Amino acid sequence: MKHNTPKELLNAHQVVKMPKHISHRKTVILTTILTSTAIIDFLSFSIKGAQLALSYGYNLIALIFIICYYLRNVLRSSITMFTDTQKNAFRTEQSAYIIENVSNMSNCVRGKVFVKNGDFARIVTNSEIILTLKEYISYVWAFLEKLPITIANIITSILMILAIFATEFFQTKNLQLTVLLSSIVFICIIIFSILYVVRFKIIKSFKYEYKELKKQNEVLFNDIRNIEPLIKPEFSYRADLLVSNMDAQRKNEKNKVSKLNSVEIIRAFVLAIFMIIIIVIKLYYAGGINNLTLLVLTDILAISSVYSNLLNKVVQILQSIEELANTLKDAESLKLDFDNITNIYEDEMKVKVAKEKIIENIKVMPFNFTYPGKNSVYELENKTVFSLERGKSYLVYGHTGCGKSTFMHLLTGKLRIEKTPSPISYGDAKLAYLSSIMHESNGKLGSNRVLEELIFNQDLNTLNYNKMIEILKGTNIYYDILRNLGLKTPDNKLVLDYLENTYIDQYSSGQKQRLAIVKVLYNLNSEHKIVVFDEATNALDDDTAKSVLSFMADYCQRDSLRIVFFVTHQIEITKEITDGSITFEQKNFPIFEVTPKV
């Protein structure tokens, strides 16, 4: 696997580059942390300074040094409060930027990104696209945030080591003692480094399995939440799978923590032994415990404080290097998927989007579409140029799996053809996307109150009252609600109150389907040039379907601004409200050919 440099990861796409206002706040945070850390680290020498001052009889200076040593915690707390406030603001700005840009990008490439797995390929879900973009940007930014702090800590540690040995030699004039202490420090640092390599390998060995278990956990939990069990054993089956997976996840975490704790115990033991050795050496060179004076005791406390701070700094550096390596690896693991998404996004942005208020007709150009993957046996082909006229409705039909939804997704830009993303042309535009709105065959409302879901707004004062009432009546939802309320006469306010205080699970399957139609019609506007209803009425009886379809066609074509498609198996009913049809013939396996009758 090719390893990417941080520069390559940062330059992967414009969206990864940090905006100026966020970059400025990051600079303020880093400058504060680096400056304060350097000051606090060198204040750890205060006890040593006090000890030297006492040895020369400067008691007042020694007292000032001791006060400075204990002021470190005050300074650290003050700096932490400031940086925490700045970090919270930084995270808020970072999240807002990432969410805004990721949402725009994912909306543009939704349904158009494929991931290949050997000879097969699948469409990358929108949630996967959002997660990939969001995590990649977050990882790169985290790496750039941690890198300067780690470098600064390494430089500070080197300076501390030099300062320790310089002061030790200056005080004792004993080169042998200085070299001995230096050797012990370096041995301790090497042991710490080895322990952190072991720690890194432990985390790495458990990380992949944990991520897979966590991902599977989410899938199994969503199955329980979203799939209505046929019988009790089905629920037990899914629950047992989830419990088993959670047990495996807990076991994984327990084993990891146990091994990491063992490493930490060894590290603490090494540190304790190191400090004891330093104290014994200091006592030995002072002439033994019988010669323990206040000056010697102060010297032992001073050097213990400095060495302890140095080794803690080494631990911080090793942790930072571990975090940097993990962050870099996480970003690299997403790089191919990120590039795939952003390349498609850039291609899509080059395709012309119609801005004209009125388009008389569109031309569907010849195309050939197949899903990526060597073993894909499906192919949709259009051999002719045909026109679709503004103000007309078209029936789209054919047997299951012939390509009805695929064709609609291509026309509306939800799917792309690799070399020529859009099969549509109009006027002088050879390639274009038209603003469209599409009712999917599995169209659903979310978990909020029904009225909010229909108007996409929590502020119900934005509701177009008359428009909503007309659509509710046209789809017969209005009269269903009156019956639910036990009313025999119309009452607009009570109907809207009912929608405002109920949730989608409280409605029948036919009502859910019609509410999905209400959502499309209510949000339809003059910018939409194409409207698609995919199996919009298949849960309704023929009489209700005929009434609702008639209203849908009339409502959509009232201003004759758009082209409407009805994808359905209810052919005879739908023929009555459409002006032409598009079907699909399988002339040569596995190719389905678009056959327009317009």
Side-chain angles (χ1 to χ4, degrees), residues 536-547:
T537 58
N538 62 353
L540 309 180
D541 62 80
D542 285 352
D543 288 339
T544 304
K546 188 173 180 179
S547 169

Side-chain angles (χ1 to χ4, degrees), residues 88 101 127 137 267-268 282 286 293 305 370 508 537:
N88 287 334
N101 285 274
S127 59
I137 298 169
R267 187 184 70 82
K282 275 291 185 180
T293 62
S305 169
T370 183
S508 70
T537 58

